[in-house]
Amino acid sequence: MAIRKIRTQGDSILAKECRKIEKMTPKLQELIDDMFDTMYDAYGVGLAGPQVGMLKQIVVIDTTGDDPHVLINPEILETSGSQTGDEGCLSVPGMSGTVTRPNYVKVKALNENMEEFILEGEELLARAICHEVDHLHGRLYTELVEGELRRTSYEEDDE
Ligand code: NI
């Protein structure tokens, strides 16, 4: 188990396009394990490659604490509906903002065995899929915030 350093807003890697993954390797498997460890350690519900300094199309998501997904080379196939709510990002610590996202998302991706699968999500899972896929294309949720970014009551600086 290894916790990796999470890159924060202002780091140029977060604004870059990620490369597709061609094949699974022991190093990539280790990256996946570390991404889950890092996400759970930070109480996040998703984490994307560039957030740990890897410009690769890989995302981990777990919106319930008991529903882990690995998405390699994810491609959103369908969206519908909309939801407006609070969103945050481990790369923008201590902040949140109001973002409108689709309420339903259907995504195609490869799992850690490089097998294609389809994942459908609603509400928080749909929001997380959109947010994490955006990371793979250099986009942060802060670009989508309606109104002002808010400081959350949780203050890292107080430690
Ligand atoms: Ni994020």
Side-chain angles (χ1 to χ4, degrees), residues 11-18 48 50 55 57 131-143:
D11 189 319
S12 63
I13 199 161
L14 294 174
K16 290 182 176 157
E17 183 73 27
C18 294
L55 280 175
Q57 291 197 15
H131 178 116
E132 299 309 329
V133 169
D134 274 355
H135 271 298
L136 303 182
H137 304 289
R139 298 190 291 263
L140 292 181
Y141 86 98
T142 49
E143 299 169 29

Side-chain angles (χ1 to χ4, degrees), residues 104-149:
Y104 164 86
V105 172
K106 181 178 185 179
V107 65
K108 178 177 84 173
L110 303 175
N111 65 18
E112 51 198 307
N113 300 314
M114 300 300 275
E115 298 155 347
E116 194 174 294
F117 70 102
I118 300 278
L119 177 65
E120 292 174 284
E122 291 182 318
E123 301 177 357
L124 180 57
L125 181 55
R127 178 179 293 281
I129 292 167
C130 293
H131 178 116
E132 299 309 329
V133 169
D134 274 355
H135 271 298
L136 303 182
H137 304 289
R139 298 190 291 263
L140 292 181
Y141 86 98
T142 49
E143 299 169 29
L144 304 174
V145 165
E146 297 153 27
E148 299 283 308
L149 263 186

